[in-house]
Amino acid sequence: MNDFSPLAEDALWVWELIADRHRFPSPEDENPSKDSVAEQFLSGYRLRSLGGLTWGWLKIYHDLALALPRHHPGIRDLYRSGQAEAFARRVRTVADQALALFSPSYEETLERWSAWQEAAREEGGWAEGEQDFFTGYANVIFALGGYHPERTSYGTRVPYLKKDGRTFGFLNLNPDALPPSCPAGEYWPRLGASILPRWVGEMVSPADMPVDAREDRRFPQADDLERTLEQAYKLLDAAQADKRRVIPTGAIVQLPFGPFRSFEIHEVGEQVGFVARTHRGEFSLGYLHRAEDRWHLWWPCPLLIDLSQRETGSVINQPAIAAMTLLLAAVLHDFWTLEERTLEQVFANQNPKRVPGSLRAHRPADGAPRIVYLPQIVYAARPNLEACEQALELTKRARHPVRQHLRRSPTCSEKARLFAVQFGLPVPAGYTFVQPHWRGEGTARPTLYRSRSALACLHALQPQSAPKAGLRGLGFLEQVRDDLERHGHQVLSVTNYFGPNDCGVDIRTLRHGIEWTIRVKEKPPDAKVQELEVKAFADALPSDRARTGGMLVTNTGYTKAAEDLASKLGIHVLWGERPAFPP
């Protein structure tokens, strides 16, 4: 999956857009804009309506257009000189060119954007010292294309990058389905602008409303910003290294943080998205990912922005971002690494009907019931960093990444050659392949650490309900993974997989020199694995089938066409609570 980082967190102009800094007065005014230059630009589009969703989108697109003069000298001169018609023609031309960058393929879109940047540098005569201005200009261009009238259908749909990382999707909005607390004209101003929204239509529904910027802005604050982030990064590194499971897609963790009452988790590969919900069910989207050997939390929430502080160099509530990073790191650490018995002491199953807001009426895409977890802790405003550090020995376990490389050696094991093929590196005679790994001061003791909860160390563990064996959404995956280990499989990784025609949990293992990919597909009782899902799995397997193998595992069964195709392609299909793995 190609990685595309969001806009830089210190990009002031995008934070201003998110913070609802709009020049338009109100939909009741006959003249929608007090800026005659922008009015000329907007008049070039035949808008269906100046009310509802179109009105809100128009505010966002208006400010994107007026961000251009900040970065492009030629457009800036037209704007400052008051040449309204010339400015409008130029900006409309630029916006239409930006739209032409987009294709159904994400990869092709990036290639077009890259080629446009090279041509724009040469045509505009940008100097090396103007790189920051050019980067800002290129980002505005991409956003103008993404929010173009044709792409958003005049504000009635939200474009986004899908979880498969390859294609774009559209969330078709329904103003009649929005809650009474949210007028349709406020949807886009609340959502804000971003260079490339991720997974929006796969995390929220057309009936969901972005959080109101007038909500309570009081958040927990990190007393020591640097130390809090350092602790969070150590927790995430340790959790990633010892990861045993994935969080069920869309699972809700009922944990308060400021005005938000719960967080809906979405794992996609090595990235984590979350939907923060208020007591009314209004949402704010955030993303956690690792890039360039460090973790990044991108949470463009309007409640975290204070534009009155722009002169200090930051408009973001960084202490709150740090506190959220630590809380999310603790939740992920516990879900990913804890043994089942300890995990059931930290989290309890919760009835979805007791979740505040409109969440209880929503179901995941596959129609399965909502999964809700209630942390058994008393949340403290000041987490105990010392207790967490000592109990989990984070400093001793602190590791640094080592990239894959070839090392001189008289022999090369079959396992090393197998990993080399995966990374596309031929191993010449006299060398061996060293896979990416973490090197640190101490030796990991996962069995010990899997019985110690980060949440319980940071906060006070206090059961709020009677413990019940087995957390919903985890049992089948736990059973498959444990059975694989009992059959001599060495588990290498566990990740969520999202493709254009298939999804599931991929477990990569190594057994007797063969690397296996096991796709686990837990389905509702009346659903079976289809032929198209088998084909999609086969297409994702490595081409070297002599050293690799594939298994599909489900709790229900397969259609006759799916079984026949799997047999033809050499894919093992297993089903039931205790599937019989091949010898």
Side-chain angles (χ1 to χ4, degrees):
M1 179 184 298
N2 292 321
D3 188 35
F4 189 91
S5 298
L7 287 169
E9 296 183 21
D10 57 354
L12 180 61
W13 71 269
V14 73
W15 285 106
E16 289 176 337
L17 290 177
I18 296 169
D20 199 11
R21 182 194 56 80
H22 301 292
R23 297 174 178 81
F24 284 7
S26 69
E28 287 73 26
D29 280 1
E30 294 182 1
N31 182 4
S33 175
K34 301 301 184 183
D35 190 315
S36 61
V37 179
E39 190 176 348
Q40 286 280 348
F41 159 64
L42 295 172
S43 66
Y45 296 104
R46 296 181 179 179
L47 302 177
R48 302 174 184 175
S49 165
L50 283 180
L53 291 169
T54 297
W55 177 262
W57 159 82
L58 199 57
K59 289 183 174 185
I60 291 290
Y61 206 64
H62 168 273
D63 276 3
L64 278 173
L66 288 183
L68 281 172
R70 303 189 194 183
H71 304 285
H72 192 284
I75 297 177
R76 185 186 312 132
D77 292 342
L78 290 174
Y79 180 75
R80 288 178 176 175
S81 63
Q83 301 179 53
E85 292 186 11
F87 171 82
R89 287 195 303 269
R90 182 68 180 274
V91 173
R92 281 202 303 272
T93 299
V94 170
D96 292 341
Q97 291 173 345
L99 174 64
L101 298 176
F102 286 83
S103 81
S105 165
Y106 172 54
E107 185 176 358
E108 183 178 349
T109 299
L110 290 185
E111 291 174 355
R112 292 180 182 180
W113 190 42
S114 178
W116 172 88
Q117 290 183 71
E118 292 182 10
R121 277 198 183 93
E122 295 179 4
E123 294 174 4
W126 295 81
E128 292 185 5
E130 297 177 319
Q131 179 59 39
D132 289 343
F133 285 101
F134 181 80
T135 300
Y137 175 54
N139 286 338
V140 174
I141 291 295
F142 199 92
L144 269 176
Y147 291 97
H148 191 279
E150 292 185 21
R151 190 162 173 78
T152 61
S153 190
Y154 300 94
T156 60
R157 64 181 190 177
V158 181
Y160 62 91
L161 178 64
K162 298 178 72 172
K163 288 181 177 179
D164 62 24
R166 305 172 189 173
T167 55
F168 294 103
F170 296 92
L171 175 64
N172 293 306
L173 302 175
N174 180 4
D176 296 332
L178 295 174
S181 62
C182 178
E186 292 187 16
Y187 187 94
W188 284 96
R190 290 192 188 186
L191 186 66
S194 176
I195 189 171
L196 187 62
R198 288 178 178 267
W199 321 336
V200 178
E202 296 164 302
M203 294 201 294
V204 298
S205 77
D208 286 326
M209 191 65 193
V211 67
D212 190 344
R214 293 162 292 193
E215 275 282 0
D216 190 348
R217 292 173 178 259
R218 289 175 294 179
F219 287 92
Q221 304 285 302
D223 294 332
D224 188 328
L225 192 68
E226 184 175 341
R227 187 182 178 201
T228 300
L229 288 175
E230 180 184 11
Q231 182 103 339
Y233 298 156
K234 287 179 180 178
L235 275 174
L236 289 167
D237 286 342
Q240 191 178 60
D242 297 333
K243 185 175 180 181
R244 290 176 57 82
R245 66 177 66 85
V246 298
I247 301 176
T249 298
I252 301 167
V253 179
Q254 270 197 271
L255 195 60
F257 188 81
F260 298 104
R261 293 293 174 265
S262 63
F263 293 86
E264 184 178 328
I265 308 297
H266 294 256
E267 279 191 56
V268 182
E270 294 186 355
Q271 304 176 71
V272 178
F274 62 87
V275 185
R277 301 271 185 177
T278 67
H279 66 287
R280 286 194 295 267
E282 296 178 352
F283 71 85
S284 176
L285 305 180
Y287 308 89
L288 179 72
H289 71 285
R290 186 179 179 86
E292 297 179 355
D293 299 332
R294 62 167 297 183
W295 293 90
H296 302 268
L297 176 65
W298 169 248
W299 190 12
C301 175
L303 303 179
L304 293 167
I305 303 167
D306 183 4
L307 292 178
S308 66
Q309 303 297 320
R310 72 177 71 192
E311 294 183 359
T312 66
S314 176
V315 298
I316 314 167
N317 187 342
Q318 295 288 3
I321 292 286
M324 178 60 194
T325 305
L326 179 63
L327 183 62
L328 185 59
V331 170
L332 294 177
H333 173 278
D334 287 0
F335 261 109
W336 285 353
T337 67
L338 289 184
E339 61 186 10
E340 290 85 341
R341 183 172 55 183
T342 305
L343 188 66
E344 290 163 8
Q345 295 172 355
V346 180
F347 294 94
N349 294 316
Q350 172 72 301
N351 188 336
K353 293 183 179 180
R354 301 183 64 181
V355 177
S358 59
L359 277 178
R360 56 181 173 270
H362 297 173
R363 284 177 176 264
D366 60 2
R370 276 284 182 189
I371 297 174
V372 185
Y373 300 121
L374 181 66
Q376 304 291 283
I377 64 167
V378 176
Y379 184 77
R382 293 187 176 182
N384 193 335
L385 299 180
E386 290 81 2
C388 185
E389 170 75 35
Q390 294 174 7
L392 297 175
E393 299 180 337
L394 294 176
T395 298
K396 183 177 180 179
R397 297 166 69 192
R399 304 169 182 175
H400 60 275
V402 178
R403 295 179 60 84
Q404 65 271 15
H405 63 278
L406 296 176
R407 176 171 55 82
R408 287 187 177 275
S409 173
T411 59
C412 180
S413 68
E414 190 67 20
K415 177 181 176 181
R417 290 189 184 278
L418 191 62
F419 278 116
V421 170
Q422 179 183 344
F423 285 90
L425 287 177
V427 182
Y431 286 84
T432 188
F433 175 76
V434 180
Q435 62 177 311
H437 62 279
W438 292 90
R439 181 178 297 160
E441 179 182 333
T443 301
R445 290 178 288 166
T447 302
L448 171 64
Y449 301 131
R450 286 173 185 159
S451 63
R452 297 179 180 179
S453 161
L455 273 174
C457 293
L458 291 170
H459 308 283
L461 185 65
Q462 180 177 317
Q464 302 172 43
S465 60
K468 296 181 180 179
L471 289 176
R472 285 195 295 267
L474 300 179
F476 185 61
L477 176 61
E478 301 277 2
Q479 186 67 58
V480 172
R481 188 203 63 229
D482 292 346
D483 283 351
L484 284 169
E485 290 179 335
R486 278 193 288 269
H487 279 76
H489 286 257
Q490 176 190 354
V491 176
L492 304 176
S493 65
V494 183
T495 57
N496 270 340
Y497 173 83
F498 294 91
N501 301 308
D502 192 25
C503 62
V505 178
D506 280 0
I507 304 177
R508 286 179 50 250
T509 70
L510 188 67
R511 183 174 184 267
H512 297 165
I514 301 295
E515 183 181 3
W516 290 89
T517 301
I518 301 97
R519 183 158 296 170
V520 183
K521 303 177 71 66
E522 187 171 9
K523 289 180 170 287
D526 57 347
K528 292 186 176 183
V529 176
Q530 304 294 311
E531 181 182 12
L532 187 61
E533 295 173 90
V534 175
K535 184 179 184 305
F537 177 58
D539 291 342
L541 291 175
S543 57
D544 181 13
R545 298 301 298 275
R547 301 171 182 269
T548 61
M551 285 186 252
L552 276 169
V553 184
T554 184
N555 57 319
T556 55
Y558 304 82
T559 64
K560 180 65 166 56
E563 287 190 26
D564 291 344
L565 180 60
S567 177
K568 179 180 177 181
L569 297 176
I571 295 173
H572 300 271
V573 291
L574 303 90
W575 65 91
E577 293 184 3
R578 298 299 296 269
F581 291 99

